[in-house]
Amino acid sequence: MTAPLIDPFQRAISYLRVSVTDRCDFRCVYCMSENMTFLPKKELLTLEELDRMCSTFIRLGVEKLRITGGEPLVRKGIMTFFQSMTRHLESGALSELTLTTNGSQLERFADDLFAAGVRRVNISLDTLDEQKFAEITRWGRLPQVIRGIDAAQRAGLRVKINTVALKGFNEDELFTLVEWCKSRDMDLTFIEVMPMGDIGNEDRLGQYWKLNDLRAELARHYTLTELSERSGGPARYVRLEETGQKIGFITPLTHNFCESCNRVRLTCTGELYMCLGQEDMADLRAPLRNNPASDAPLEDSIRAAISRKPKGHDFDYSRQTVDGRVTRHMSHTGG
Ligand code: SAM
Ligand code: SF4
């Protein structure tokens, strides 16, 4: 039997996030600059290479696969990839196949995703105001995303909304968003802005709305019960007693979630990042492409990379400068 992936801190790596493209049909201000230069197509792993890569990780013990980007659903032919992953769900090797999306293409793809075995989807949405939505995403349009959410729920997908907490932008919509998610039976998770990539003129410290403050605001209206549930990731959860809703907080800056980290991230060019907040990575494309007939060199490279997984990240806003920032965009590593 193949030995599972265990890092130097005895954390088992069972969760792989895969960015299948760096491209996107939106230009969210905290994520991208307006004029992005995207990678040439030949740099990207083909859909067949993505399959081989993911299948190797699954053989080494990865049980949960999250597809992200850029916007995963703008990658040409991506449904073929989802369909090819269905075999790992059917064999029981994979316990979950899921994705994070801006929702723009869900109207088209929700039924196919469900048919491929996807049962849950994270949809990013920061505001319910059409004008503000166009402002924050630059190129996105709210009605299209709402139609995507409708389609996802109709198809039977469980929806979780991810909202980036942005000072002076969606502070005033906190309760509207909570109530809207409740009315549609969707989970809701707030994310703190992270210092990733050059985003042009946007002021990152100005955007930073501490989730501790957001949480205190929630506690003025609701009774919050801390839940012990952990996903091996950065999210912490509370239940709102009045509504029964579960609300998540992703706070990489105010809390350290690294001790239970069970995940690694693969970019669309085959770079493996062992930590979202560190620059170290391993090139897995070369061992994959140079050895079409054997996965052994790829397996060796994966194991070598996992043996370098660092203890944690170094993001820090506390000195009022963005310390520990990483130069790549979130759309490169995959959110
Ligand atoms: N395009 C898809 C989407 O928007 O859901 C998937 C990729 S996106 C990079 C994944 C998540 O990262 C989104 O929820 C987005 O809001 C979040 N994100 C992007 N840039 C961020 C930043 N600088 N800090 C915190 N979250 C960020
Ligand atoms: Fe695109 Fe997602 Fe980044 Fe927005 S957050 S620009 S939707 S990749």
Side-chain angles (χ1 to χ4, degrees):
M1 211 190 114
T2 323
L5 296 170
I6 308 282
D7 81 356
F9 305 94
Q10 299 309 309
R11 296 170 298 194
I13 307 307
S14 57
Y15 182 7
L16 177 67
R17 299 173 74 106
V18 185
S19 172
V20 294
T21 176
D22 62 334
R23 289 164 199 254
C24 187
D25 52 348
F26 290 5
R27 289 290 180 279
C28 302
V29 299
Y30 46 76
C31 180
M32 293 193 181
S33 59
E34 181 125 42
N35 302 308
M36 295 287 289
T37 311
F38 293 112
L39 294 161
K41 293 238 163 65
K42 66 175 189 327
E43 296 287 317
L44 300 196
L45 297 177
T46 63
L47 295 173
E48 293 74 21
E49 287 172 333
L50 276 171
D51 183 326
R52 218 181 124 201
M53 195 73 93
C54 292
S55 301
T56 303
F57 273 97
I58 292 165
R59 204 163 50 243
L60 296 179
V62 160
E63 292 169 353
K64 186 172 165 184
L65 203 57
R66 177 174 294 279
I67 308 307
T68 177
E71 174 46 43
L73 297 181
V74 303
R75 169 91 195 241
K76 208 165 158 220
I78 195 62
M79 232 23 82
T80 319
F81 170 77
F82 276 101
Q83 284 151 4
S84 75
M85 287 299 106
T86 310
R87 70 182 190 278
H88 296 303
L89 288 168
E90 286 169 353
S91 77
L94 202 58
S95 64
E96 186 169 47
L97 173 63
T98 173
L99 76 155
T100 301
T101 172
N102 65 23
S104 68
Q105 308 302 315
L106 275 176
E107 199 176 10
R108 234 178 351 138
F109 291 129
D111 287 329
D112 293 344
L113 287 167
F114 188 88
V118 175
R119 292 294 175 266
R120 293 196 304 157
V121 53
N122 287 2
I123 304 178
S124 306
L125 184 136
D126 303 326
T127 173
L128 288 168
D129 178 295
E130 263 188 67
Q131 216 174 331
K132 280 163 76 178
F133 189 88
E135 198 183 303
I136 200 81
T137 62
R138 292 199 185 101
W139 296 3
R141 297 296 171 260
L142 182 63
Q144 185 182 350
V145 172
I146 300 291
R147 287 199 304 274
I149 296 173
D150 292 342
Q153 291 194 305
R154 245 190 341 262
L157 297 168
R158 177 90 197 145
V159 174
K160 186 176 78 153
I161 299 294
N162 279 345
T163 300
V164 177
L166 294 160
K167 212 180 182 83
F169 179 77
N170 53 15
E171 273 173 297
D172 58 340
E173 288 186 76
L174 176 60
F175 298 111
T176 318
L177 282 162
V178 168
E179 278 150 31
W180 178 70
C181 285
K182 170 69 189 166
S183 72
R184 300 196 53 140
D185 189 26
M186 301 185 297
D187 295 320
L188 173 61
T189 288
F190 291 101
I191 311 176
E192 255 172 6
V193 183
M194 287 176 260
M196 303 199 65
D198 176 12
I199 49 164
N201 296 328
E202 302 296 327
D203 169 13
R204 225 184 271 277
L205 284 170
Q207 292 172 344
Y208 181 38
W209 179 18
K210 266 204 192 98
L211 289 195
N212 278 347
D213 296 346
L214 184 155
R215 201 185 142 129
E217 189 64 22
L218 270 182
R220 293 200 311 130
H221 279 242
Y222 301 103
T223 314
L224 272 48
T225 304
E226 188 94 29
L227 300 176
S228 58
E229 187 176 323
R230 294 278 185 276
S231 56
R236 296 286 178 272
Y237 299 94
V238 298
R239 189 175 49 239
L240 306 185
E241 290 304 336
E242 289 77 2
T243 67
Q245 269 167 293
K246 193 174 84 172
I247 307 279
F249 303 99
I250 300 187
T251 55
L253 302 169
T254 47
H255 279 107
N256 204 319
F257 53 86
C258 306
E259 71 281 356
S260 59
C261 184
N262 62 355
R263 60 197 58 196
V264 288
R265 297 172 152 85
L266 185 74
T267 72
C268 53
T269 57
E271 296 165 343
L272 186 73
Y273 282 90
M274 286 69 84
C275 172
L276 180 64
Q278 302 280 2
E279 302 281 0
D280 186 31
M281 57 89 174
D283 171 28
L284 298 183
R285 191 180 59 187
L288 178 99
R289 278 197 183 161
N290 298 342
N291 301 282
S294 165
D295 289 335
L298 174 62
E299 284 191 17
D300 291 345
S301 302
I302 293 173
R303 289 195 189 282
I306 299 300
S307 74
R308 302 205 306 269
K309 185 167 161 66
K311 197 164 181 197
H313 66 71
D314 301 317
F315 290 140
D316 183 11
Y317 279 125
S318 60
R319 276 170 277 165
Q320 285 304 302
T321 58
V322 185
D323 277 359
R325 75 183 297 160
V326 289
T327 50
R328 60 189 190 277
H329 287 93
M330 189 73 112
S331 52
H332 181 65
T333 330

